[in-house]
Amino acid sequence: MKTNSSKLTGKILALLAALSLLISSCGSAKSKTYVVGVIVELPWLAAIYDSFKVSMTELGYVEGQNITYLYNPEVGSDQAAFDAEAQRLMDQKVDLFFTIGTLTTKAAQKAVEGTNIPVVFTPVINPVAEGVVKDIAHPGGNVTGVQIIDRSPKALEWALKIAPQTKHIYMPYNPADTITMMLVNGGILETIPKLGLELEPSQVSDVNEMLERVDALPEDTIIFLLSPISSLETGLEQLSQRAQARGIPIFTINRDVGLSPFPVANYTVSIAAEAQQGARMVDRIFQGQKPADMPIETAEYFLQIDLKTAQIYNLPVSDEILSQADTIIR
Amino acid sequence: MKKSLQTRLTVYFTILVLIPLLLVGAIGTWQTYNRERQHALESQDEITKLVAEQVQNFIDTRENDLLSLINIYGFSSASFEEQSALLSSLFSKETVYEEIILTNGRGRELLYLSRADVITNQELGSRAGADEFEKTKETGKSYFGTVSFNEATGEPYMVIAIPSFNLQSGQLANVIIAKFRFKSVWDIMGQADVEGSGSVYMTDSNGYVVADANPSVVLKRAQVAPPSKNQFATGISGEAVALAVKQIKFGDQVFYILAEQPVAEALALAYNNMILIAAVTFFAMFAAGILGLLASRQITTPIANLATSAQLVSAGDLNQTAIVESEDEIGALAQAFNAMTKQLRELIGSLEQRVTDRTKALTASTEVSRRLSTILNQDQLVKEVVEQVQSAFDFYHAQIYLVDDAGDLAMAGGTGEAGQIMLERKHTVSKGRGLVGRAANTNAPVLVSDTQTDSNWLPNPLLPETKSEVAVPISLGNEVLGVLDVQHNQINGITAENSALVQSIANQVAIALKNAFAYTEVEAQAKREALISLINQKIQNSTTIESTLQTALRELSIALGVQEARITLKVNELSDSGKLA
């Protein structure tokens, strides 16, 4: 009887101890340091990475405390380089890939195949068409992120409103640049005649050819830069100088592509906004949500007008148009 | 195996503690649980009310902006350029619209403002036949269309159509068709002051979520079934939630604002209370068990000891005593048990003594009988009897009186020095005097258990320690031969049983005495006859009268033990017959 009483007492004590442990374990904060591998497709897109880190900090992920970013700015610019970088990051046991650009996203997607490591992209243009995800609402797999819907026709429309005298358009692109070609074939070519414009020969094979074409452009021409133009981006500064010398204004989709002066206007997504969207998605994944269940979000477009550049090209911008701009740079 | 008293007492004690504790805990928990449930639903209800009001105001404001455009700016009378400018300005400032389309009174598109697409004048079409135009035209009021989703972005939209009438003719002049983005409402959901990990979202009449702080919920076209009332149900994430619902309407379109909070959070206080009560109950049960165990031990240990003692006593160990640990009822019980055991021990000891005594007496009786059967000498018989009886019964004194020729009782034998002295003194007792005399007189035993309290008892200075005495008659039938008297130096030292045993011995002594008397008499008769025969023989051998006489006289003297004997002859004349007279 005494033995039974002792056993019973022991069981009760063990139960109380377990209960105590259970209660004490409730509410104990889970602390983990996340390792995020970052791959950026183009140097000027690194601004998204910077904004992403700011947003992550606002969400409570402080670099060096509970999050570590593995980012190599000298990774290269082609698919092979991105693939190698993705594999290198895999070897470093990253918890998540944050990719900026279509090619980098594809590289990460290939690297994480067969694993549960999520990939969040910010941005990818038309991710379904690129085969990054199966469906916008239901991505499936472990890749999700923020998409950009090609608004280049709308950007061109805004350019024409600012420069209504325009009759010709020069839109340089290299057929070897797949992303650029996706934009070229995305509807802009149909929009140009619809807006009463004539497309100047724009297909080039390299930077030199791109620059040489500038000299032959009619005066009522505007240069409209799709973005990215990948292989041609190294010549953007020269392009802007030649255009300025010819008095041909440049309009772009993205502002921070390396032009000097900046483009007259650009209709693009907000880097900070899309980085914030991407950060929120990463946060939700860290909180347990599965990428497969996270629909692709869409970045918002904004109209920016640079009045300084407009003055350089003697382009008067009406108040009616300025009133419709999201950002006016004076 | 039956549960021990200690186990039962422990269980009862624990149950007695637990029942009220559990009752109080259960009632308290139940009340807390219900109160928290009610509170959780009320909290969610407050959120839905607040958010519903904000959404209602937000969309109403959008409608009012469009109405103001028409009413304040005299939209119907403005030129197309002015109308375009007003709408473009509104479109650029109000990002809540994905598209704004202006039609004339017949539904022809006049202006198409789009954030995504480039629509040229050549591409303008007609809205005639479309609900947003026809119903607006028909009712003359604002129209709210059903929710649609953009395939490219997954965002939900709702068409808002506002009619503009020519103030002069009253005819429908224009219809402004605005494609409202619910994405602008998402921020309201995100800014809602939800509790914990709860959420608030908005659905259309089909249950499709059109606004949520988490864009994923909307973009994946999550669908729920809005309940008719606030309740606990399965939430949008599939877990049990406290769910509140509020209906809002825009035109004919019904929307629902739902706020939910996981039950685990909403009822956390109740659950914590339940856990606390459970922990307290466990602790109380544990404490009650320990206290019950201790208390029951205090109660049952003495009882168990008592039971063990009783078992040992029942097994024959009468030397067991219960330990008296307290002065309470159990202590009294132990004391009573000990007293009872003591009495039992004494009783059994007494019985054993009595049996021993009885056996001893019977043995003595048997021995006396055996001895008596072989003793034919009266003196030896008496001596043996008194010695055997005194020794067998451990009497203080034993003595035998025999009825003498005078009818008195003469001392025939006694034990010890007193017996010897009285024998030498030829001590006699008259019939009817003293215990001996009364026994002889009544031919019945006379027992005095306490000599000091019996006034008829006569003390004997030679036997000063006598405290009890019995005198039993030695008789055959009505013939009293004597009295066997035994004395004890303890009060009640002689009992009725002893008396009966002594009586049985006395009866045997009577027979033995009778035998001894008879033997003595026969022996004397035989001796006399042998002597007479011897004398006759010697006389017959005499040849003369004188020698005959001499022989006869000498032998008679010897036989009779006299020193002097004489034969006197008186010679008378012979009778005629020649014989002496």
Side-chain angles (χ1 to χ4, degrees):
Chain A
M1 183 184 295
K2 187 177 181 181
T3 306
N4 291 337
S5 299
S6 300
K7 285 181 179 176
L8 182 61
T9 305
K11 286 179 181 177
I12 292 171
L13 285 173
L15 188 63
L16 287 175
L19 189 64
S20 173
L21 282 174
L22 183 66
I23 292 171
S24 64
S25 67
C26 294
S28 61
K30 181 184 177 183
S31 60
K32 178 182 177 181
T33 298
Y34 295 97
V35 179
V36 177
V38 181
I39 314 176
V40 180
E41 193 165 311
L42 295 168
W44 61 270
L45 290 175
I48 298 176
Y49 168 52
D50 295 334
S51 294
F52 170 73
K53 288 200 292 184
V54 171
S55 296
M56 288 298 287
T57 303
E58 290 172 355
L59 290 169
Y61 300 92
V62 181
E63 187 173 9
Q65 290 185 12
N66 57 354
I67 193 166
T68 299
Y69 299 102
L70 302 179
Y71 169 56
N72 178 14
E74 308 296 333
V75 67
S77 60
D78 56 21
Q79 187 67 63
F82 298 143
D83 289 344
E85 175 65 2
Q87 194 55 54
R88 185 187 72 83
L89 292 173
M90 280 294 288
D91 294 340
Q92 296 194 41
K93 310 293 183 187
V94 296
D95 296 305
L96 178 142
F97 275 97
F98 182 70
T99 56
I100 300 172
T102 303
L103 299 181
T104 54
T105 301
K106 287 183 174 180
Q109 184 181 27
K110 188 162 61 176
V112 301
E113 191 173 345
T115 72
N116 292 323
I117 298 173
V119 177
V120 176
F121 58 78
T122 301
V124 164
I125 301 170
N126 295 338
V128 175
E130 288 297 314
V132 174
V133 295
K134 294 187 298 184
D135 182 70
I136 294 296
H138 306 283
N142 44 356
V143 180
T144 188
V146 182
Q147 70 168 343
I148 288 179
I149 294 177
D150 178 21
R151 296 278 190 256
S152 52
K154 199 67 185 176
L156 180 59
E157 185 182 44
W158 279 115
L160 200 58
K161 285 183 179 178
I162 294 171
Q165 307 305 320
T166 303
K167 298 297 180 186
H168 298 87
I169 179 171
Y170 176 47
M171 190 175 66
Y173 62 92
N174 184 347
D177 296 330
T178 54
I179 304 303
T180 309
M181 288 310 296
M182 186 179 68
L183 296 173
V184 171
N185 298 321
I188 187 68
L189 294 179
E190 290 79 15
T191 304
I192 290 171
K194 199 163 73 175
L195 292 174
L197 299 175
E198 184 177 340
L199 180 65
E200 290 296 311
S202 299
Q203 182 173 323
V204 298
S205 58
D206 54 31
V207 171
N208 290 331
E209 189 178 2
M210 174 182 73
L211 296 175
E212 288 171 358
R213 294 277 176 86
V214 175
D215 296 334
L217 293 175
E219 290 185 354
D220 53 358
T221 301
I222 62 170
I223 297 174
F224 183 75
L225 294 179
L226 298 171
S227 183
I229 53 175
S230 301
S231 63
L232 305 177
E233 295 207 355
T234 55
L236 286 177
E237 188 174 350
Q238 293 171 281
L239 178 70
S240 62
Q241 289 171 359
R242 287 204 181 193
Q244 186 178 359
R246 288 283 326 272
I248 297 175
I250 300 177
F251 294 84
T252 65
I253 295 175
N254 292 303
R255 173 177 169 81
D256 300 311
V257 295
L259 293 172
S260 180
F262 288 108
V264 177
N266 60 285
Y267 187 63
T268 185
V269 298
S270 162
I271 286 177
E274 65 180 334
Q276 193 176 39
Q277 281 180 283
R280 282 201 304 262
M281 297 182 85
V282 169
D283 177 43
R284 291 204 296 271
I285 290 172
F286 284 164
Q287 290 179 21
Q289 200 166 343
K290 294 181 178 177
D293 297 330
M294 295 173 63
I296 304 301
E297 295 187 21
T298 305
E300 291 285 321
Y301 272 80
F302 300 93
L303 175 63
Q304 285 185 322
I305 297 175
D306 191 327
L307 286 179
K308 290 180 180 177
T309 308
Q311 288 170 0
I312 292 173
Y313 293 102
N314 293 317
L315 288 175
V317 184
S318 68
D319 289 347
E320 181 187 347
I321 293 174
L322 287 177
S323 68
Q324 297 180 55
D326 296 287
T327 306
I328 301 172
I329 300 167
R330 297 180 176 87
Chain B
M1 181 179 177
K2 292 183 177 178
K3 292 181 178 175
S4 69
L5 180 61
Q6 179 176 318
T7 303
R8 279 181 288 166
L9 280 174
T10 304
V11 170
Y12 295 156
F13 188 86
T14 306
I15 289 173
L16 281 174
V17 172
L18 279 184
I19 286 175
L21 189 65
L22 286 174
L23 280 175
V24 171
I27 292 170
T29 302
W30 180 248
Q31 288 181 335
T32 303
Y33 180 71
N34 282 330
R35 189 166 56 248
E36 287 301 312
R37 278 175 66 93
Q38 186 64 29
H39 174 70
L41 291 177
E42 288 173 355
S43 296
Q44 299 309 305
D45 189 60
E46 287 297 319
I47 294 171
T48 57
K49 284 179 180 175
L50 185 63
V51 172
E53 187 177 352
Q54 290 176 332
V55 172
Q56 187 82 52
N57 289 339
F58 183 81
I59 297 179
D60 285 348
T61 300
R62 305 287 84 75
E63 180 191 9
N64 289 333
D65 286 346
L66 293 172
L67 289 172
S68 298
L69 198 70
I70 292 170
N71 297 330
I72 296 175
Y73 296 100
F75 191 84
S76 61
S77 57
S79 65
F80 175 71
E81 288 72 21
E82 290 172 332
Q83 288 177 334
S84 296
L86 285 171
L87 289 176
S88 295
S89 177
L90 177 70
F91 185 65
S92 62
K93 295 302 176 190
E94 289 286 4
T95 56
V96 299
Y97 302 117
E98 180 66 15
E99 294 175 346
I100 290 182
I101 299 163
L102 177 67
T103 74
N104 61 18
R106 296 183 300 277
R108 178 72 186 174
E109 291 177 346
L110 303 175
L111 180 68
Y112 200 123
L113 302 175
S114 171
R115 296 190 188 281
D117 302 316
V118 176
I119 308 295
T120 63
N121 290 336
Q122 291 73 26
E123 293 175 311
L124 294 176
S126 175
R127 294 282 169 161
D131 284 350
E132 60 267 25
F133 177 79
E134 297 298 339
K135 290 192 176 179
T136 304
K137 180 181 177 182
E138 178 184 338
T139 62
K141 295 180 180 177
S142 301
Y143 166 82
F144 293 86
T146 56
V147 173
S148 61
F149 289 86
N150 185 302
E151 290 302 321
T153 64
E155 287 185 29
Y157 298 90
M158 176 176 68
V159 168
I160 302 174
I162 306 293
S164 172
F165 294 94
N166 186 302
L167 297 177
Q168 298 294 328
S169 64
Q171 297 295 312
L172 180 67
N174 301 98
V175 173
I176 300 174
I177 301 170
K179 197 172 182 180
F180 176 79
R181 301 175 68 190
F182 279 100
K183 189 175 184 179
S184 57
V185 182
W186 298 0
D187 290 338
I188 296 176
M189 305 298 156
Q191 291 164 4
D193 187 16
V194 297
E195 296 181 353
S197 61
S199 64
V200 57
Y201 49 96
M202 178 179 178
T203 74
D204 65 4
S205 58
N206 294 319
Y208 284 106
V209 179
V210 297
D212 191 294
N214 182 356
S216 294
V217 177
V218 180
L219 297 177
K220 68 182 177 184
R221 299 191 190 181
Q223 189 178 19
V224 298
S228 57
K229 61 179 181 179
N230 299 342
Q231 59 184 268
F232 283 84
T234 301
I236 194 168
S237 61
E239 61 182 329
V241 296
L243 183 63
V245 60
K246 182 75 177 175
Q247 186 189 79
I248 55 177
K249 291 184 72 175
F250 301 103
D252 294 334
Q253 301 303 318
V254 175
F255 293 87
Y256 297 96
I257 303 295
L258 297 100
E260 64 179 43
Q261 186 182 20
V263 170
E265 286 181 9
L267 301 181
L269 181 59
Y271 290 155
N272 287 341
N273 282 344
M274 291 169 72
I275 292 171
L276 183 63
I277 289 171
V280 169
T281 303
F282 268 115
F283 177 77
M285 185 171 68
F286 178 72
I290 296 296
L291 290 175
L293 191 64
L294 293 174
S296 63
R297 273 185 178 176
Q298 283 191 336
I299 295 170
T300 58
T301 299
I303 294 176
N305 291 338
L306 199 57
T308 302
S309 298
Q311 287 175 343
L312 291 172
V313 168
S314 68
D317 184 2
L318 296 177
N319 292 321
Q320 283 294 325
T321 55
I323 301 170
V324 181
E325 295 178 330
S326 60
E327 296 181 353
D328 53 13
E329 289 82 351
I330 296 175
L333 178 62
Q335 287 178 337
F337 176 80
N338 286 341
M340 182 185 73
T341 306
K342 183 182 177 183
Q343 285 184 355
L344 186 61
R345 185 167 59 239
E346 289 175 354
L347 176 61
I348 291 177
S350 172
L351 286 174
E352 286 177 344
Q353 185 60 45
R354 287 168 65 186
V355 170
T356 302
D357 292 347
R358 182 82 174 182
T359 304
K360 195 173 181 180
L362 289 172
T363 303
S365 176
T366 304
E367 182 63 19
V368 167
S369 299
R370 188 181 64 80
R371 295 282 295 169
L372 289 181
S373 63
T374 59
I375 299 174
L376 296 174
N377 183 278
Q378 177 186 308
D379 293 338
Q380 187 183 355
L381 176 68
V382 169
K383 186 179 179 182
E384 287 280 346
V385 169
V386 295
E387 291 296 337
Q388 284 285 336
V389 169
Q390 190 269 336
S391 173
F393 292 93
D394 199 22
F395 288 140
Y396 171 52
H397 179 72
Q399 57 190 358
I400 290 177
Y401 288 84
L402 297 176
V403 177
D404 62 11
D405 296 336
D408 292 332
L409 293 162
M411 174 76 168
T415 59
E417 187 179 354
Q420 188 62 35
I421 293 172
M422 285 189 288
L423 188 61
E424 289 174 354
R425 289 179 181 175
K426 298 187 184 301
H427 183 68
T428 60
V429 176
S430 300
K431 274 191 177 178
R433 187 171 183 273
L435 268 63
V436 173
R438 278 192 281 162
N441 200 31
T442 60
N443 195 15
V446 179
L447 172 64
V448 176
S449 298
D450 186 358
T451 57
Q452 294 177 349
T453 60
D454 192 321
S455 58
N456 294 324
W457 184 78
L458 296 176
N460 185 339
L462 295 173
L463 300 167
E465 296 180 21
T466 300
K467 294 293 191 293
S468 55
E469 181 177 357
V470 65
V472 298
I474 301 171
S475 59
L476 288 171
N478 292 327
E479 182 185 7
V480 176
L481 302 178
V483 172
L484 173 58
D485 178 70
V486 296
Q487 298 173 27
H488 207 287
N489 57 0
Q490 291 181 355
I491 296 173
N492 295 320
I494 300 173
T495 64
E497 289 182 0
N498 290 346
S499 177
L501 281 172
V502 172
Q503 180 63 70
S504 70
I505 293 172
N507 292 340
Q508 294 178 63
V509 169
I511 296 170
L513 279 174
K514 199 68 177 179
N515 290 339
F517 290 160
Y519 177 75
T520 303
E521 190 174 346
V522 170
E523 186 182 38
Q525 184 66 30
K527 281 182 178 178
R528 273 196 309 273
E529 288 178 354
L531 184 58
I532 292 171
S533 175
L534 181 61
I535 294 171
N536 285 339
Q537 188 177 3
K538 285 181 176 178
I539 291 172
Q540 287 175 357
N541 290 337
S542 298
T543 58
T544 65
I545 296 173
E546 287 181 350
S547 61
T548 301
L549 293 173
Q550 284 290 340
T551 299
L553 187 62
R554 184 178 67 248
E555 292 299 327
L556 285 172
S557 297
I558 293 171
L560 295 174
V562 297
Q563 291 181 344
E564 187 178 333
R566 179 184 299 143
I567 299 174
T568 301
L569 298 174
K570 185 178 179 181
V571 182
N572 294 329
E573 292 178 351
L574 294 172
S575 64
D576 294 340
S577 60
K579 296 181 180 180
L580 290 174

